[in-house]
Amino acid sequence: MFLEILINAVATGLLLGSIYAALALGLAVTFGILHIPNIAHPVFVVLGAYLAVVANERGWDPILAALAGALPFYLLGALFYEFYARVFERRGEADTMQALTLFFGVSLVVETALVLKFGTNQQTVDVDYVGQSLRIGLLVMPYRLLVPALVAPVMILTLWAYLKFTYAGIAIRAAAHDVRALQVSGVDPHWIKRHAFGIASVTALVAGAILVIIGPVDPFSGRLQIGRAFAVVILAGMGAVPGTILAAFIIGVAESLVSAFLNPSWSPGVAFLILLATLALKPQGLFGASR
Amino acid sequence: MNRLVIEGLEAGYGAVSVLRGISIEVRQGELVALLGTNGNGKSTLLNAILGFVRPTAGRVVLEWDGQTIDLTGAPPHRIVDAGIALVPEGRRLAPNLTVEENLLLAGSGRRARRDARRNLGFCFETFPILKERRAQRAATMSGGQQQMLAIARALMTSPRIVLIDEPSLGLAPIAVTQVIATIRSLQATQNLTIVIAEQSVVQAIDISARAYVLAHGSILRTFARGDSAADLDDIRRAMLGVGESRRPTEAAQ
């Protein structure tokens, strides 16, 4: 009995972790690499979830819908950065506090727009695999978790390869440390950051599609994810994209164990506890370079 | 004739004007030195050419292969793309990238990309230490090696003209000798056009065809190689701003 609970709690934790990694991935780019504290990232995830819902009503699979919506979401993210840059960066260095206020405001605007359009009701998608489970011995894995959990590593690997092996990817990684290093290399830093925001926005769309497969989504679902997403990025270490997945596994498994053996109502606090512990004990994170 | 022309350039930071009407010309294949002690505008001049500091007056014009490109006030990446590379003071490498990534990044510009492979091969040939350490993060290299990486990075942009800001700053004497020797050989073997800003007169004057002395944001004197007046003491005095008092006739003109 205990063994069965333990095995399933760990398995569920790993599945959740994989999904958390997908949710945090865009933030690993904007906050982890570019050092822009984009707390509006989760609301983009929710926006992506709504796109998946609307597409699903027309018979689309949520994940396919996310792939189809990649280009509009890229442009949306790029436009969002353009707005941020016009407001702050052109005037000199962006002040973190003001930037946070802007991102918070954008979150509220998007949430309100979703409420006006769709109401506050929870939205769900209808896919064949929801409601069924894969059973292997003692292990029971519901497909509504398993399918999203397989999408996340693919997305992370793709992004990692892009950052590692393309000119634009190398430039994005250079952007955080020294903008002038980009300029003397003949690269436009503004273009590169806008591009990075576009990519982050696409990951938010995919994460949104995943989120709505796992469970119902309402306009305020993003709020639950803000702390967790930051916890994942900071535990992984700033800029450590592949590390995101391991950090998310740790948080997912910890939450799942707390849920199973202590009390499910405590599990939302676990990410914050890990976040605080990381900042206190290992502020550079598991895979980040010490700064 | 291929050349970079700077006419009446004025620039500064906020209300402080640093450059006061600088006019210089650099022809293809030349190695030109900008001499001056700290705070006289050498770095500001290079940064104004590259677009980091916005000129308030004057022009920066590149005349190359029959094209005339006005670079005044253009953003830095556009200027690099036009063929002017900078080896900046403090090197400004991307510390978290590897040696090879730093080089590839500089080779990613629109014009440079065509020759990226060949340029990378040339850089590794010129600086074998960079090839050896290609997978190492730039931040973990010694000062001299970082300076070589910064020069190699400039070469990766397929430059027509390379501006080098204080290559000797903060380096051990042996590294300075090595860097200067490299610059000289690049100029000689590759027919590169180089502008080098320096405080250490001996090294700079030794390798350059022409030297401009900057003081208080203006060109105080110009020395050409073989110029009988161009003895070192003379240049030093000019740099310290005592050149005129020793040569009253010239100052009067």
Side-chain angles (χ1 to χ4, degrees):
Chain A
M1 186 59 197
F2 173 80
L3 190 65
E4 189 181 345
I5 294 177
L6 182 67
I7 287 175
N8 281 297
V10 170
T12 307
L14 290 175
L15 295 178
L16 279 177
S18 184
I19 292 150
Y20 294 165
L23 284 165
L25 189 59
L27 202 61
V29 174
T30 53
F31 180 58
I33 300 181
L34 301 183
H35 297 182
I36 298 172
N38 180 17
I39 53 168
H41 180 71
V43 92
F44 275 76
V45 172
V46 173
L47 198 62
Y50 271 81
L51 184 124
V53 168
V54 171
N56 185 251
E57 283 167 1
R58 286 158 180 73
W60 287 65
D61 180 85
I63 293 165
L64 283 181
L67 295 179
L71 185 63
F73 256 70
Y74 173 87
L75 295 175
L76 183 72
L79 195 73
F80 178 50
Y81 176 75
E82 196 64 39
F83 174 61
Y84 163 78
R86 295 267 153 129
V87 176
F88 293 116
E89 292 203 330
R90 289 277 161 87
R91 280 199 248 137
E93 276 301 290
D95 174 62
T96 308
M97 207 58 217
Q98 289 176 332
L100 280 173
T101 314
L102 173 83
F103 294 137
F104 186 63
V106 167
S107 302
L108 287 180
V109 169
V110 175
E111 282 175 359
T112 310
L114 286 173
V115 169
L116 288 175
K117 180 86 177 95
F118 299 96
T120 51
N121 289 344
Q122 292 195 319
Q123 307 282 334
T124 53
V125 287
D126 183 22
V127 278
D128 296 337
Y129 41 84
V130 169
Q132 300 177 41
S133 295
L134 177 71
R135 287 168 194 278
I136 309 168
L138 291 176
L139 193 62
V140 183
M141 288 193 283
Y143 282 113
R144 70 172 176 89
L145 287 181
L146 190 57
V147 170
L150 294 178
V151 172
V154 172
M155 182 163 78
I156 292 167
L157 268 176
T158 309
L159 181 65
W160 174 79
Y162 184 79
L163 291 174
K164 187 85 187 160
F165 299 116
T166 67
Y167 284 133
I170 294 172
I172 289 172
R173 284 188 289 135
H177 287 269
D178 196 344
V179 164
R180 197 162 279 202
L182 283 180
Q183 291 171 312
V184 292
S185 300
V187 178
D188 180 2
H190 181 76
W191 185 88
I192 273 305
K193 289 185 182 181
R194 196 173 57 201
H195 182 54
F197 258 76
I199 291 172
S201 171
V202 173
T203 73
L205 170 63
V206 175
I210 288 175
L211 193 67
V212 76
I213 294 175
I214 303 166
V217 166
D218 65 48
F220 308 106
S221 296
R223 295 186 179 183
L224 277 174
Q225 309 295 343
I226 296 177
R228 196 182 276 133
F230 272 90
V232 169
V233 173
I234 289 166
L235 179 61
M238 299 284 277
V241 168
T244 310
I245 192 133
L246 194 67
F249 279 159
I250 291 172
I251 290 175
V253 170
E255 279 187 4
S256 183
L257 289 175
V258 166
S259 252
F261 292 105
L262 295 170
N263 189 333
S265 59
W266 288 1
S267 70
V270 170
F272 285 101
L273 191 69
I274 292 176
L275 174 62
L276 291 177
T278 311
L279 289 175
L281 303 173
K282 204 167 173 3
Q284 74 273 30
L286 295 175
F287 304 99
S290 47
R291 292 189 294 144
Chain B
M1 179 181 40
N2 291 339
R3 58 179 189 160
L4 174 71
V5 185
I6 289 147
E7 278 174 8
L9 198 68
E10 299 190 5
Y13 305 93
V16 185
S17 79
V18 178
L19 303 180
R20 296 170 186 158
I22 301 257
S23 296
I24 61 174
E25 182 187 314
V26 184
R27 291 176 215 128
Q28 184 174 24
E30 269 187 333
L31 199 160
V32 171
L34 292 175
L35 303 174
T37 48
N38 264 340
N40 279 306
K42 298 189 308 290
S43 290
T44 308
L45 176 55
L46 297 189
N47 285 333
I49 296 173
L50 241 272
F52 290 122
V53 180
R54 246 191 130 72
T56 49
R59 299 201 315 150
V60 178
V61 179
L62 185 67
E63 297 174 8
W64 214 271
D65 294 343
Q67 280 181 300
T68 302
I69 313 168
D70 189 343
L71 298 174
T72 322
H77 63 271
R78 203 65 46 76
I79 293 172
V80 171
D81 208 43
I84 300 180
L86 174 69
V87 181
E89 192 180 349
R91 304 183 277 272
R92 311 303 285 258
L93 302 166
N96 57 324
L97 298 187
T98 65
V99 169
E100 191 168 9
E101 286 170 343
N102 266 284
L103 295 175
L104 288 175
L105 184 62
S108 71
R110 233 180 323 161
R111 203 173 46 84
R113 199 175 290 203
R114 286 195 301 259
D115 301 322
R117 284 280 136 223
R118 209 189 60 214
N119 286 341
L120 189 67
F122 175 72
C123 285
F124 281 160
E125 203 177 296
T126 313
F127 305 100
I129 188 78
L130 297 184
K131 186 174 189 182
E132 203 177 294
R133 311 212 158 175
R134 61 206 285 178
Q136 196 175 321
R137 281 158 41 107
T140 63
M141 312 251 288
S142 76
Q145 290 164 355
Q146 287 192 20
Q147 188 66 56
M148 289 183 188
L149 179 53
I151 294 172
R153 176 179 63 182
L155 299 177
M156 285 299 293
T157 64
S158 288
R160 289 158 168 166
I161 297 171
V162 183
L163 315 177
I164 306 178
D165 200 355
E166 301 254 9
S168 68
L169 196 71
L171 294 186
I174 181 139
V176 175
T177 313
Q178 212 174 350
V179 167
I180 295 284
T182 309
I183 294 171
R184 190 213 298 256
S185 91
L186 280 173
Q187 190 258 340
T189 61
Q190 301 299 311
N191 195 31
L192 262 181
T193 313
I194 297 177
V195 177
I196 178 169
E198 256 303 344
Q199 301 193 62
S200 42
V201 178
V202 186
Q203 274 137 351
I205 203 74
D206 221 29
I207 60 174
S208 57
R210 216 141 28 88
Y212 295 97
V213 177
L214 261 109
H216 308 298
S218 313
I219 303 288
L220 192 69
R221 296 276 303 273
T222 307
F223 296 96
R225 174 174 283 168
D227 189 341
S228 59
D231 64 280
L232 286 177
D233 283 342
D234 206 12
I235 292 171
R236 283 212 183 87
R237 270 189 289 274
M239 278 173 66
L240 294 169
V242 294
E244 290 102 322
S245 57
R246 189 167 160 269
R247 293 171 163 268
T249 48
E250 205 176 273
Q253 286 167 8

